[in-house]
Amino acid sequence: MNRFLSSAVNRIDAKGRVSVPAHFRAVVQQRGYSELYAIRQLDVPALDVGGLDLLDRYEERIALEDPFLQTADDMSFFVHGDGAFLKLDQDGRITVTDFIREHTGISSEVAFVGRGNFFQIWEPSKLSAYGAEVRARLSQLRQGTKPGEKPE
């Protein structure tokens, strides 16, 4: 299995570290990531975390923009200036830094969520609320309505 799948909640230890779930660490090792790249989500209090291929994906999108327009500059700031590298220690833990805490609201526990080619870090109650929103939107789509519309 070489995808980040499923979810887990782990407690932050006294030194401010949290264990990345074992099945996520297995994917990290299989993909040969020596360090992890984290970037803040724009519209939710979560971080996307992956290898350099995650950074490459964003840079490929930036390269499509006119470098003289504000959009390219804004995207570069977001990807290059508003991200951070996370180091996994020998026991598979990352330090929960201010960079992580400020954007997510994480205090004592970290929720990890697989997203296929990357994973996300959330504060557990915020993830729970977001999951309910996602299921509601998908339920509406299944009923043949768009989000915000009422079923006929």
Side-chain angles (χ1 to χ4, degrees), residues 3 49 58 62 67-68 85 90 92 115-116 120 139 142-143 151:
R3 299 268 189 278
V49 182
Y58 284 112
I62 293 169
F68 295 103
F85 283 99
Q90 69 273 11
R115 298 297 303 264
Q120 289 182 319
S139 179
R142 185 175 187 130
Q143 295 172 25

Side-chain angles (χ1 to χ4, degrees), residues 22-36:
H23 52 287
F24 286 13
R25 290 194 314 264
V27 175
V28 166
Q29 184 177 15
Q30 185 178 17
R31 290 182 173 203
Y33 297 159
S34 58
E35 53 190 349
L36 298 172

Side-chain angles (χ1 to χ4, degrees), residues 37-50 54 58 78 82-84 86 98-106 109-115 118-131 134:
Y37 177 72
I39 190 165
R40 297 173 184 174
Q41 273 280 315
L42 287 172
D43 57 345
V44 294
L47 298 177
D48 289 350
V49 182
L54 178 63
Y58 284 112
F78 171 69
D82 209 22
L86 307 177
D98 288 343
F99 172 81
I100 295 170
R101 290 178 191 271
E102 289 169 4
H103 185 69
T104 62
I106 287 170
E109 293 182 317
V110 178
F112 295 87
V113 181
R115 298 297 303 264
F118 64 97
F119 64 92
Q120 289 182 319
I121 295 175
W122 286 80
E123 189 281 325
S125 67
K126 291 179 182 180
L127 173 62
S128 181
Y130 180 73
V134 168

